[in-house]
Amino acid sequence: MGGATLAAALAPSGRSIVILERGQRLADTPECRDDQAIFRDGTFRPWEHWLNAQGHSFNPGTYYYVGGNSKFYGAVMLRYRAEDFEETRHLGGTSPAWPISYADMEPWYQAAEDLFEVHGDVDQDPTEPAHSGRYRFPPVKDEATIAQMRERLVKAGVTPSALPLAVDIDRWLGRGATPWDAFPDTNGGKRDAENVCISNALEYDNVSLITGAKVTRMLTGDKGRIVDVEYEKDNEVHRLDPGLVILSAGAVNSAALLLRSANNQNKRGLANSSGLVGRHFMNHNCSALLSVHPFRRNSAVYQKTLQFNDYYLRGGPRDMPLGNVQLLGKISGNILASNSSLPGFVANWIAGHSVDWYVMSEDLPDPESRVSLKDDTIVLDWKRSNWETHVALVRKAKSILRRAGYPVVLSRPFDRETPSHQCGTARFGHDPKTSVLDIWCRSHDHNNLFVVDASFLPTSAAVNPALTIAAQALRVADHINSKDLAA
Ligand SMILES: Cc1cc2nc3c(=O)[nH]c(=O)nc-3n(C[C@H](O)[C@H](O)[C@H](O)COP(=O)(O)OP(=O)(O)OC[C@H]3O[C@@H](n4cnc5c(N)ncnc54)[C@H](O)[C@@H]3O)c2cc1C
Protein backbone atom coordinates (compact mmCIF):
# COMPACT_ATOMS: atom_id res chain seq x y z
CA MET A 1 0.00 0.00 0.00
CA GLY A 2 2.75 2.44 0.99
CA GLY A 3 5.33 1.62 -1.68
CA ALA A 4 2.92 1.33 -4.58
CA THR A 5 1.14 4.58 -3.68
CA LEU A 6 4.44 6.40 -3.47
CA ALA A 7 5.65 4.91 -6.77
CA ALA A 8 2.48 6.11 -8.50
CA ALA A 9 2.92 9.60 -7.07
CA LEU A 10 6.61 9.82 -8.06
CA ALA A 11 6.16 8.33 -11.54
CA PRO A 12 5.22 11.59 -13.33
CA SER A 13 8.45 13.20 -12.06
CA GLY A 14 10.42 11.27 -14.70
CA ARG A 15 12.76 9.70 -12.17
CA SER A 16 13.97 6.23 -13.01
CA ILE A 17 11.98 4.00 -10.63
CA VAL A 18 12.50 0.27 -10.14
CA ILE A 19 9.97 -1.59 -8.00
CA LEU A 20 11.34 -4.79 -6.45
CA GLU A 21 8.56 -7.18 -5.41
CA ARG A 22 9.25 -10.62 -3.99
CA GLY A 23 5.87 -11.97 -5.08
CA GLN A 24 4.24 -12.48 -8.45
CA ARG A 25 1.02 -11.13 -9.86
CA LEU A 26 -2.01 -13.05 -8.64
CA ALA A 27 -3.39 -15.32 -11.35
CA ASP A 28 -7.16 -15.46 -11.77
CA THR A 29 -7.77 -19.09 -10.78
CA PRO A 30 -10.94 -20.74 -9.39
CA GLU A 31 -9.29 -20.76 -5.92
CA CYS A 32 -9.53 -16.95 -5.84
CA ARG A 33 -13.24 -17.26 -5.10
CA ASP A 34 -13.16 -20.55 -3.21
CA ASP A 35 -13.62 -20.08 0.55
CA GLN A 36 -12.15 -23.51 1.37
CA ALA A 37 -9.04 -22.85 -0.70
CA ILE A 38 -8.53 -19.50 1.01
CA PHE A 39 -9.51 -20.22 4.63
CA ARG A 40 -9.01 -23.96 5.09
CA ASP A 41 -6.15 -24.75 2.71
CA GLY A 42 -4.28 -21.42 3.03
CA THR A 43 -3.66 -21.53 -0.74
CA PHE A 44 -2.40 -17.96 -0.92
CA ARG A 45 -0.28 -17.94 2.24
CA PRO A 46 3.49 -17.78 1.85
CA TRP A 47 5.85 -20.76 2.12
CA GLU A 48 7.42 -19.18 5.14
CA HIS A 49 7.63 -19.68 8.87
CA TRP A 50 8.23 -17.20 11.64
CA LEU A 51 8.83 -17.87 15.33
CA ASN A 52 6.68 -16.64 18.18
CA ALA A 53 8.03 -15.50 21.57
CA GLN A 54 8.08 -19.09 22.82
CA GLY A 55 10.18 -20.17 19.84
CA HIS A 56 7.31 -22.01 18.15
CA SER A 57 7.21 -21.87 14.41
CA PHE A 58 4.08 -20.62 12.60
CA ASN A 59 2.96 -19.82 9.09
CA PRO A 60 2.03 -16.11 9.12
CA GLY A 61 -1.21 -14.83 7.62
CA THR A 62 0.48 -12.27 5.41
CA TYR A 63 0.65 -12.13 1.62
CA TYR A 64 3.42 -11.68 -0.92
CA TYR A 65 2.01 -10.64 -4.28
CA VAL A 66 2.15 -7.56 -6.47
CA GLY A 67 -0.12 -5.23 -4.48
CA GLY A 68 0.84 -6.87 -1.17
CA ASN A 69 -1.78 -7.37 1.52
CA SER A 70 -4.12 -4.93 -0.20
CA LYS A 71 -4.94 -7.71 -2.71
CA PHE A 72 -6.73 -9.44 0.17
CA TYR A 73 -7.94 -6.48 2.14
CA GLY A 74 -11.49 -5.69 3.17
CA ALA A 75 -11.10 -2.36 1.33
CA VAL A 76 -12.27 -0.39 4.37
CA MET A 77 -10.64 3.01 3.93
CA LEU A 78 -11.21 4.81 7.23
CA ARG A 79 -9.40 7.91 8.36
CA TYR A 80 -7.87 7.92 11.82
CA ARG A 81 -10.17 10.13 13.89
CA ALA A 82 -8.80 13.63 14.61
CA GLU A 83 -8.50 12.61 18.30
CA ASP A 84 -6.18 9.74 17.33
CA PHE A 85 -3.49 12.30 16.54
CA GLU A 86 -3.57 13.55 20.15
CA GLU A 87 -2.42 11.85 23.31
CA THR A 88 -5.30 9.66 24.50
CA ARG A 89 -5.79 7.80 27.75
CA HIS A 90 -7.06 4.23 27.56
CA LEU A 91 -7.94 1.68 30.21
CA GLY A 92 -4.65 -0.06 29.47
CA GLY A 93 -2.33 2.96 29.17
CA THR A 94 -1.66 6.00 27.01
CA SER A 95 -1.63 6.33 23.26
CA PRO A 96 0.98 9.00 22.46
CA ALA A 97 0.41 12.07 20.29
CA TRP A 98 1.56 11.99 16.68
CA PRO A 99 4.41 14.28 15.63
CA ILE A 100 2.06 15.80 13.03
CA SER A 101 -1.56 16.88 13.34
CA TYR A 102 -4.76 15.72 11.69
CA ALA A 103 -4.76 19.04 9.79
CA ASP A 104 -1.34 18.14 8.32
CA MET A 105 -2.72 14.81 7.08
CA GLU A 106 -6.16 15.95 5.94
CA PRO A 107 -5.27 16.96 2.35
CA TRP A 108 -3.49 13.64 1.87
CA TYR A 109 -6.43 11.68 3.23
CA GLN A 110 -8.58 13.49 0.70
CA ALA A 111 -6.13 12.73 -2.11
CA ALA A 112 -5.91 9.06 -1.10
CA GLU A 113 -9.71 8.74 -0.99
CA ASP A 114 -9.92 10.23 -4.47
CA LEU A 115 -7.15 7.97 -5.78
CA PHE A 116 -8.75 4.81 -4.39
CA GLU A 117 -12.26 5.94 -5.36
CA VAL A 118 -13.56 5.40 -1.86
CA HIS A 119 -17.35 5.06 -1.63
CA GLY A 120 -18.82 6.63 1.48
CA ASP A 121 -20.84 9.40 3.11
CA VAL A 122 -19.07 11.91 5.36
CA ASP A 123 -22.29 12.86 7.15
CA GLN A 124 -23.32 9.55 8.71
CA ASP A 125 -20.74 8.99 11.43
CA PRO A 126 -20.49 11.59 14.24
CA THR A 127 -16.84 10.62 14.88
CA GLU A 128 -15.85 11.28 11.26
CA PRO A 129 -13.18 14.00 11.29
CA ALA A 130 -13.54 17.12 9.12
CA HIS A 131 -13.15 16.50 5.38
CA SER A 132 -12.11 19.19 2.92
CA GLY A 133 -14.13 17.40 0.23
CA ARG A 134 -16.78 14.73 -0.03
CA TYR A 135 -16.41 11.12 -1.14
CA ARG A 136 -16.81 11.09 -4.91
CA PHE A 137 -18.86 7.90 -4.85
CA PRO A 138 -21.94 6.98 -2.78
CA PRO A 139 -21.71 4.21 -0.18
CA VAL A 140 -21.87 0.57 -1.26
CA LYS A 141 -25.49 -0.52 -0.87
CA ASP A 142 -26.56 -2.42 2.25
CA GLU A 143 -28.01 -5.81 1.38
CA ALA A 144 -31.54 -6.53 2.68
CA THR A 145 -30.48 -8.18 5.96
CA ILE A 146 -28.01 -5.38 6.59
CA ALA A 147 -30.54 -2.65 5.83
CA GLN A 148 -32.75 -4.26 8.50
CA MET A 149 -29.78 -4.50 10.85
CA ARG A 150 -29.18 -0.79 10.37
CA GLU A 151 -32.73 -0.03 11.53
CA ARG A 152 -32.44 -2.43 14.43
CA LEU A 153 -29.19 -0.80 15.56
CA VAL A 154 -30.79 2.64 15.53
CA LYS A 155 -33.59 1.28 17.72
CA ALA A 156 -30.95 -0.26 19.99
CA GLY A 157 -29.56 3.24 20.52
CA VAL A 158 -26.39 3.42 18.39
CA THR A 159 -25.50 5.30 15.20
CA PRO A 160 -24.70 2.93 12.35
CA SER A 161 -22.91 4.46 9.37
CA ALA A 162 -21.71 3.36 5.95
CA LEU A 163 -18.21 1.88 5.90
CA PRO A 164 -16.02 3.86 3.51
CA LEU A 165 -15.04 1.24 0.92
CA ALA A 166 -12.70 1.12 -2.07
CA VAL A 167 -14.98 -1.32 -3.87
CA ASP A 168 -16.74 -1.31 -7.22
CA ILE A 169 -19.47 -3.70 -6.15
CA ASP A 170 -20.89 -4.53 -9.58
CA ARG A 171 -17.46 -5.34 -10.89
CA TRP A 172 -16.61 -7.46 -7.86
CA LEU A 173 -19.82 -9.49 -8.08
CA GLY A 174 -19.36 -9.82 -11.85
CA ARG A 175 -16.56 -12.32 -11.16
CA GLY A 176 -18.59 -14.32 -8.61
CA ALA A 177 -21.11 -13.90 -5.78
CA THR A 178 -18.65 -13.91 -2.84
CA PRO A 179 -17.57 -11.46 -0.17
CA TRP A 180 -14.36 -9.53 -0.88
CA ASP A 181 -12.87 -9.42 2.64
CA ALA A 182 -9.79 -11.72 2.65
CA PHE A 183 -10.59 -12.87 -0.90
CA PRO A 184 -7.89 -12.01 -3.46
CA ASP A 185 -8.77 -9.39 -6.04
CA THR A 186 -8.15 -10.51 -9.61
CA ASN A 187 -10.71 -8.48 -11.52
CA GLY A 188 -10.27 -4.98 -10.16
CA GLY A 189 -13.47 -5.14 -8.10
CA LYS A 190 -11.45 -3.81 -5.19
CA ARG A 191 -9.35 -0.69 -5.71
CA ASP A 192 -6.07 -2.06 -4.39
CA ALA A 193 -2.40 -1.12 -4.54
CA GLU A 194 -1.81 -3.13 -7.71
CA ASN A 195 -4.71 -2.12 -9.90
CA VAL A 196 -4.69 1.52 -8.77
CA CYS A 197 -1.07 2.38 -8.07
CA ILE A 198 1.24 -0.13 -9.73
CA SER A 199 -0.87 0.08 -12.90
CA ASN A 200 -0.76 3.89 -12.87
CA ALA A 201 2.98 3.91 -12.24
CA LEU A 202 3.76 1.42 -15.02
CA GLU A 203 2.12 3.68 -17.57
CA TYR A 204 5.29 5.74 -17.36
CA ASP A 205 8.34 4.53 -19.32
CA ASN A 206 10.59 5.52 -16.45
CA VAL A 207 9.00 2.92 -14.10
CA SER A 208 9.69 -0.80 -14.12
CA LEU A 209 8.56 -3.68 -11.92
CA ILE A 210 10.69 -6.75 -11.21
CA THR A 211 8.65 -9.57 -9.69
CA GLY A 212 10.08 -12.55 -7.83
CA ALA A 213 12.78 -10.16 -6.57
CA LYS A 214 13.29 -10.72 -2.85
CA VAL A 215 15.40 -8.00 -1.27
CA THR A 216 17.82 -9.63 1.15
CA ARG A 217 19.91 -6.75 2.39
CA MET A 218 21.03 -3.18 1.88
CA LEU A 219 24.62 -2.00 1.93
CA THR A 220 25.90 1.33 3.13
CA GLY A 221 28.79 3.50 1.94
CA ASP A 222 30.23 6.88 2.82
CA LYS A 223 28.18 9.15 5.08
CA GLY A 224 25.75 6.33 5.76
CA ARG A 225 24.21 6.38 2.29
CA ILE A 226 22.59 3.20 1.03
CA VAL A 227 24.77 2.33 -1.93
CA ASP A 228 23.42 -1.08 -2.92
CA VAL A 229 20.19 -2.99 -2.62
CA GLU A 230 20.78 -6.71 -2.90
CA TYR A 231 18.02 -9.02 -4.07
CA GLU A 232 17.55 -12.63 -5.09
CA LYS A 233 15.72 -13.60 -8.23
CA ASP A 234 15.70 -17.05 -9.83
CA ASN A 235 18.40 -18.21 -7.37
CA GLU A 236 20.78 -15.48 -8.43
CA VAL A 237 21.93 -12.49 -6.42
CA HIS A 238 21.52 -9.07 -8.07
CA ARG A 239 22.40 -5.58 -6.95
CA LEU A 240 20.94 -2.17 -7.67
CA ASP A 241 22.70 1.10 -6.95
CA PRO A 242 19.86 3.54 -6.21
CA GLY A 243 19.69 7.28 -5.62
CA LEU A 244 16.86 6.97 -3.13
CA VAL A 245 15.66 3.78 -1.47
CA ILE A 246 11.99 3.56 -0.54
CA LEU A 247 11.55 0.57 1.72
CA SER A 248 7.99 -0.74 1.94
CA ALA A 249 8.01 -4.45 2.67
CA GLY A 250 5.37 -4.28 5.43
CA ALA A 251 6.03 -3.55 9.11
CA VAL A 252 7.44 -6.98 9.93
CA ASN A 253 9.56 -7.52 6.83
CA SER A 254 10.89 -3.96 6.64
CA ALA A 255 12.11 -4.19 10.23
CA ALA A 256 13.63 -7.61 9.53
CA LEU A 257 15.41 -6.28 6.46
CA LEU A 258 16.89 -3.33 8.35
CA LEU A 259 18.09 -5.65 11.11
CA ARG A 260 19.41 -8.19 8.60
CA SER A 261 21.45 -5.46 6.91
CA ALA A 262 23.65 -4.84 9.99
CA ASN A 263 27.28 -4.13 9.10
CA ASN A 264 30.42 -2.86 10.80
CA GLN A 265 29.26 0.76 10.74
CA ASN A 266 25.70 -0.14 11.75
CA LYS A 267 26.11 -3.03 14.13
CA ARG A 268 22.48 -2.99 15.36
CA GLY A 269 21.10 -2.83 11.83
CA LEU A 270 20.37 0.00 9.43
CA ALA A 271 18.41 3.07 10.56
CA ASN A 272 18.81 1.78 14.08
CA SER A 273 20.95 4.24 16.03
CA SER A 274 17.92 4.61 18.34
CA GLY A 275 17.72 0.85 18.89
CA LEU A 276 14.02 1.09 18.03
CA VAL A 277 13.86 -0.79 14.73
CA GLY A 278 11.45 -3.69 15.22
CA ARG A 279 10.17 -2.33 18.53
CA HIS A 280 6.68 -0.95 19.24
CA PHE A 281 5.15 -3.65 17.06
CA MET A 282 1.37 -3.28 17.07
CA ASN A 283 -1.53 -5.20 15.56
CA HIS A 284 -5.10 -4.42 16.54
CA ASN A 285 -6.93 -6.33 19.25
CA CYS A 286 -9.73 -7.88 17.23
CA SER A 287 -12.53 -10.36 17.73
CA ALA A 288 -15.12 -11.86 15.44
CA LEU A 289 -18.68 -11.63 16.77
CA LEU A 290 -21.46 -13.71 15.28
CA SER A 291 -24.91 -12.37 16.14
CA VAL A 292 -27.41 -15.16 15.61
CA HIS A 293 -31.19 -15.28 15.43
CA PRO A 294 -32.47 -18.87 15.10
CA PHE A 295 -35.49 -17.90 12.98
CA ARG A 296 -33.94 -15.17 10.84
CA ARG A 297 -31.74 -16.13 7.89
CA ASN A 298 -29.03 -13.82 6.65
CA SER A 299 -29.25 -13.62 2.86
CA ALA A 300 -26.24 -11.29 2.45
CA VAL A 301 -23.48 -12.19 -0.01
CA TYR A 302 -20.89 -9.59 0.95
CA GLN A 303 -22.39 -8.03 4.10
CA LYS A 304 -19.49 -5.63 4.84
CA THR A 305 -21.14 -2.20 4.59
CA LEU A 306 -21.86 -0.99 8.15
CA GLN A 307 -20.00 0.17 11.24
CA PHE A 308 -20.75 1.97 14.47
CA ASN A 309 -18.33 4.16 16.39
CA ASP A 310 -20.46 5.11 19.39
CA TYR A 311 -17.77 3.77 21.74
CA TYR A 312 -14.78 4.89 19.70
CA LEU A 313 -13.99 8.06 21.65
CA ARG A 314 -15.76 7.37 24.94
CA GLY A 315 -18.42 5.26 26.62
CA GLY A 316 -16.28 2.56 28.20
CA PRO A 317 -15.58 2.11 31.91
CA ARG A 318 -14.62 5.54 33.34
CA ASP A 319 -15.85 6.92 29.98
CA MET A 320 -12.69 5.66 28.28
CA PRO A 321 -12.46 5.01 24.50
CA LEU A 322 -13.16 1.44 23.34
CA GLY A 323 -12.95 1.18 19.56
CA ASN A 324 -14.69 0.42 16.29
CA VAL A 325 -17.35 -2.17 15.44
CA GLN A 326 -17.70 -3.02 11.73
CA LEU A 327 -19.15 -5.84 9.71
CA LEU A 328 -16.96 -8.67 8.49
CA GLY A 329 -17.25 -10.09 5.01
CA LYS A 330 -20.04 -12.67 5.16
CA ILE A 331 -18.88 -15.75 7.02
CA SER A 332 -19.85 -19.00 5.27
CA GLY A 333 -20.18 -22.45 6.81
CA ASN A 334 -16.88 -23.37 5.17
CA ILE A 335 -15.09 -20.38 6.69
CA LEU A 336 -16.55 -21.10 10.13
CA ALA A 337 -15.70 -24.80 9.94
CA SER A 338 -12.13 -23.94 8.81
CA ASN A 339 -11.64 -21.77 11.90
CA SER A 340 -13.30 -24.03 14.48
CA SER A 341 -13.92 -27.64 15.35
CA LEU A 342 -17.61 -27.36 14.48
CA PRO A 343 -19.04 -30.09 12.25
CA GLY A 344 -19.97 -28.82 8.80
CA PHE A 345 -23.76 -28.94 9.25
CA VAL A 346 -23.57 -26.94 12.51
CA ALA A 347 -21.23 -24.38 10.93
CA ASN A 348 -23.56 -24.07 7.93
CA TRP A 349 -26.59 -23.52 10.14
CA ILE A 350 -24.88 -20.88 12.28
CA ALA A 351 -23.44 -19.06 9.26
CA GLY A 352 -26.85 -19.08 7.58
CA HIS A 353 -28.38 -17.32 10.59
CA SER A 354 -25.61 -15.00 11.71
CA VAL A 355 -24.64 -11.42 11.00
CA ASP A 356 -20.87 -11.27 11.47
CA TRP A 357 -18.87 -8.45 13.04
CA TYR A 358 -15.27 -7.36 13.40
CA VAL A 359 -14.65 -5.65 16.73
CA MET A 360 -11.41 -3.69 16.87
CA SER A 361 -9.63 -1.81 19.63
CA GLU A 362 -6.32 -0.04 19.94
CA ASP A 363 -3.07 -1.84 20.66
CA LEU A 364 -0.71 0.56 22.43
CA PRO A 365 2.99 0.94 21.56
CA ASP A 366 5.29 -1.06 23.83
CA PRO A 367 9.04 -1.21 23.15
CA GLU A 368 9.10 -4.83 24.33
CA SER A 369 6.57 -5.84 21.66
CA ARG A 370 8.94 -6.50 18.80
CA VAL A 371 10.22 -8.04 15.62
CA SER A 372 13.71 -9.51 15.85
CA LEU A 373 15.79 -12.17 14.12
CA LYS A 374 16.95 -15.55 15.33
CA ASP A 375 19.68 -16.50 12.92
CA ASP A 376 17.84 -15.45 9.77
CA THR A 377 14.31 -16.29 10.91
CA ILE A 378 11.79 -13.61 11.88
CA VAL A 379 10.73 -13.67 15.54
CA LEU A 380 7.42 -11.94 16.20
CA ASP A 381 6.99 -11.28 19.91
CA TRP A 382 3.70 -9.41 19.94
CA LYS A 383 2.87 -8.24 23.44
CA ARG A 384 -0.81 -7.43 23.28
CA SER A 385 -1.70 -4.33 25.26
CA ASN A 386 -4.89 -2.64 26.35
CA TRP A 387 -6.75 -5.98 26.36
CA GLU A 388 -9.14 -4.72 29.04
CA THR A 389 -10.40 -2.16 26.51
CA HIS A 390 -11.04 -4.91 24.01
CA VAL A 391 -12.90 -7.05 26.53
CA ALA A 392 -15.08 -4.06 27.42
CA LEU A 393 -15.80 -3.33 23.74
CA VAL A 394 -16.76 -6.94 23.02
CA ARG A 395 -19.09 -6.89 26.03
CA LYS A 396 -20.64 -3.60 24.87
CA ALA A 397 -21.08 -4.81 21.27
CA LYS A 398 -22.72 -8.01 22.46
CA SER A 399 -25.24 -6.14 24.58
CA ILE A 400 -26.08 -3.80 21.66
CA LEU A 401 -26.55 -6.74 19.30
CA ARG A 402 -28.81 -8.51 21.78
CA ARG A 403 -30.80 -5.32 22.13
CA ALA A 404 -30.98 -5.19 18.33
CA GLY A 405 -32.79 -8.52 18.36
CA TYR A 406 -30.07 -11.16 18.15
CA PRO A 407 -30.42 -13.33 21.28
CA VAL A 408 -27.20 -15.30 20.74
CA VAL A 409 -23.88 -13.54 20.18
CA LEU A 410 -20.77 -15.71 19.86
CA SER A 411 -17.31 -14.19 20.01
CA ARG A 412 -13.77 -15.27 19.38
CA PRO A 413 -10.52 -13.24 19.34
CA PHE A 414 -8.48 -13.34 16.14
CA ASP A 415 -5.34 -15.44 16.45
CA ARG A 416 -1.89 -13.99 17.05
CA GLU A 417 -0.48 -15.46 13.85
CA THR A 418 -2.35 -13.19 11.47
CA PRO A 419 -0.71 -9.77 11.72
CA SER A 420 -3.16 -8.17 9.26
CA HIS A 421 -2.82 -4.71 10.79
CA GLN A 422 0.89 -4.91 11.65
CA CYS A 423 2.52 -1.53 12.22
CA GLY A 424 4.86 0.59 14.32
CA THR A 425 8.27 -1.05 13.88
CA ALA A 426 10.02 2.08 12.54
CA ARG A 427 7.98 4.85 14.12
CA PHE A 428 8.31 8.39 12.82
CA GLY A 429 8.99 11.45 14.97
CA HIS A 430 11.13 14.51 15.49
CA ASP A 431 13.72 13.08 17.86
CA PRO A 432 16.30 10.61 16.48
CA LYS A 433 16.60 9.12 19.98
CA THR A 434 12.94 8.19 20.21
CA SER A 435 12.07 7.53 16.57
CA VAL A 436 13.52 5.77 13.54
CA LEU A 437 12.20 8.07 10.81
CA ASP A 438 11.66 11.79 10.58
CA ILE A 439 8.21 13.21 9.90
CA TRP A 440 8.73 12.64 6.15
CA CYS A 441 9.50 8.97 6.79
CA ARG A 442 13.18 9.54 6.05
CA SER A 443 15.65 7.61 8.16
CA HIS A 444 17.36 9.80 10.76
CA ASP A 445 20.54 7.85 10.02
CA HIS A 446 20.63 7.40 6.24
CA ASN A 447 19.94 10.36 4.04
CA ASN A 448 18.68 8.40 1.06
CA LEU A 449 16.46 5.88 2.87
CA PHE A 450 12.69 6.26 3.34
CA VAL A 451 10.28 3.74 4.88
CA VAL A 452 6.68 4.28 3.82
CA ASP A 453 4.79 1.16 4.84
CA ALA A 454 2.85 0.66 8.09
CA SER A 455 6.15 0.69 10.03
CA PHE A 456 6.02 4.47 10.44
CA LEU A 457 2.75 4.50 12.41
CA PRO A 458 3.41 5.64 16.01
CA THR A 459 -0.04 4.44 17.11
CA SER A 460 -2.46 1.87 15.77
CA ALA A 461 -5.68 3.76 16.63
CA ALA A 462 -8.70 1.48 16.27
CA VAL A 463 -9.41 1.80 12.57
CA ASN A 464 -8.06 -0.16 9.61
CA PRO A 465 -4.68 1.25 8.56
CA ALA A 466 -4.53 1.22 4.74
CA LEU A 467 -5.89 4.71 4.05
CA THR A 468 -3.50 6.29 6.55
CA ILE A 469 -0.55 4.44 4.98
CA ALA A 470 -1.59 5.61 1.52
CA ALA A 471 -2.16 9.19 2.67
CA GLN A 472 1.27 9.34 4.29
CA ALA A 473 2.89 7.88 1.15
CA LEU A 474 1.32 10.67 -0.91
CA ARG A 475 2.54 13.22 1.62
CA VAL A 476 6.08 11.81 1.47
CA ALA A 477 6.05 11.70 -2.34
CA ASP A 478 5.04 15.35 -2.43
CA HIS A 479 7.91 16.16 -0.08
CA ILE A 480 10.41 14.26 -2.24
CA ASN A 481 9.13 15.97 -5.37
CA SER A 482 8.96 19.46 -3.90
CA LYS A 483 12.46 19.24 -2.45
CA ASP A 484 13.65 17.55 -5.63
CA LEU A 485 15.45 15.06 -3.41
CA ALA A 486 17.84 12.99 -5.45
CA ALA A 487 19.96 11.29 -2.86
C1 LIG B 1 -7.22 -10.26 5.04
C2 LIG B 1 -6.84 -8.83 5.26
C3 LIG B 1 -7.83 -7.86 5.29
C4 LIG B 1 -7.49 -6.52 5.49
N1 LIG B 1 -8.47 -5.57 5.43
C5 LIG B 1 -8.15 -4.27 5.54
C6 LIG B 1 -9.13 -3.25 5.37
O1 LIG B 1 -10.30 -3.52 5.11
N2 LIG B 1 -8.73 -1.97 5.49
C7 LIG B 1 -7.44 -1.64 5.80
O2 LIG B 1 -7.18 -0.44 5.96
N3 LIG B 1 -6.50 -2.56 5.94
C8 LIG B 1 -6.81 -3.86 5.79
N4 LIG B 1 -5.83 -4.81 5.88
C9 LIG B 1 -4.47 -4.37 6.16
C10 LIG B 1 -3.81 -3.77 4.94
O3 LIG B 1 -3.87 -4.67 3.86
C11 LIG B 1 -2.36 -3.45 5.30
O4 LIG B 1 -2.38 -2.57 6.41
C12 LIG B 1 -1.60 -2.79 4.18
O5 LIG B 1 -1.63 -3.54 2.99
C13 LIG B 1 -0.17 -2.62 4.63
O6 LIG B 1 0.54 -1.92 3.65
P1 LIG B 1 2.13 -1.92 3.69
O7 LIG B 1 2.58 -0.96 2.65
O8 LIG B 1 2.57 -1.71 5.08
O9 LIG B 1 2.60 -3.41 3.35
P2 LIG B 1 2.06 -4.61 2.45
O10 LIG B 1 0.75 -4.35 1.86
O11 LIG B 1 2.21 -5.83 3.27
O12 LIG B 1 3.11 -4.64 1.27
C14 LIG B 1 4.42 -5.08 1.43
C15 LIG B 1 4.94 -5.55 0.08
O13 LIG B 1 6.33 -5.84 0.18
C16 LIG B 1 6.58 -7.09 -0.43
N5 LIG B 1 7.78 -7.62 0.22
C17 LIG B 1 7.91 -8.06 1.50
N6 LIG B 1 9.18 -8.41 1.76
C18 LIG B 1 9.88 -8.17 0.61
C19 LIG B 1 11.25 -8.32 0.26
N7 LIG B 1 12.16 -8.79 1.13
N8 LIG B 1 11.63 -8.00 -1.01
C20 LIG B 1 10.72 -7.52 -1.92
N9 LIG B 1 9.41 -7.37 -1.63
C21 LIG B 1 9.00 -7.67 -0.36
C22 LIG B 1 5.32 -7.89 -0.19
O14 LIG B 1 5.20 -8.98 -1.09
C23 LIG B 1 4.25 -6.82 -0.40
O15 LIG B 1 3.92 -6.66 -1.77
C24 LIG B 1 -6.14 -6.16 5.68
C25 LIG B 1 -5.14 -7.13 5.64
C26 LIG B 1 -5.47 -8.45 5.43
C27 LIG B 1 -4.38 -9.49 5.38
Side-chain angles (χ1 to χ4, degrees), residues 260-425:
R260 204 172 267 143
S261 302
N263 59 28
N264 276 342
Q265 290 72 44
N266 303 275
K267 290 203 164 51
R268 295 199 286 187
L270 299 194
N272 202 17
S273 60
S274 63
L276 294 180
V277 168
R279 293 186 181 272
H280 302 110
F281 173 85
M282 293 169 282
N283 186 36
H284 288 130
N285 293 320
C286 294
S287 291
L289 251 65
L290 271 58
S291 50
V292 181
H293 192 293
F295 306 123
R296 203 181 296 134
R297 283 194 68 82
N298 181 356
S299 60
V301 171
Y302 49 87
Q303 181 175 262
K304 195 175 178 70
T305 53
L306 271 194
Q307 63 174 343
F308 57 93
N309 284 319
D310 299 74
Y311 306 102
Y312 194 91
L313 299 175
R314 59 190 60 86
R318 287 182 275 132
D319 210 24
M320 292 281 187
L322 295 183
N324 167 279
V325 183
Q326 64 184 245
L327 286 167
L328 273 170
K330 181 69 199 99
I331 297 291
S332 63
N334 284 338
I335 297 175
L336 194 52
S338 305
N339 284 285
S340 67
S341 52
L342 293 172
F345 72 96
V346 178
N348 279 334
W349 187 89
I350 295 175
H353 293 82
S354 69
V355 177
D356 319 300
W357 298 88
Y358 187 52
V359 177
M360 177 167 31
S361 38
E362 181 157 349
D363 187 18
L364 303 171
D366 171 357
E368 298 311 318
S369 178
R370 64 188 294 204
V371 174
S372 58
L373 295 174
K374 181 161 190 252
D375 303 322
D376 201 37
T377 303
I378 290 173
V379 181
L380 181 58
D381 179 3
W382 174 28
K383 302 219 185 307
R384 275 184 199 273
S385 66
N386 204 19
W387 189 246
E388 50 275 63
T389 289
H390 190 60
V391 170
L393 181 60
V394 168
R395 201 179 304 126
K396 201 63 130 174
K398 282 184 169 182
S399 91
I400 297 291
L401 292 168
R402 283 196 205 100
R403 226 186 295 154
Y406 287 81
V408 180
V409 187
L410 310 168
S411 67
R412 180 153 150 196
F414 274 70
D415 68 42
R416 302 170 67 92
E417 298 172 356
T418 306
S420 306
H421 293 178
Q422 57 185 273
C423 64
T425 52

Side-chain angles (χ1 to χ4, degrees), residues 23 41 123 133 147 165 192-193 224 234 304 453 470:
D41 306 339
D123 296 327
L165 293 165
D192 63 46
D234 300 331
K304 195 175 178 70
D453 54 33

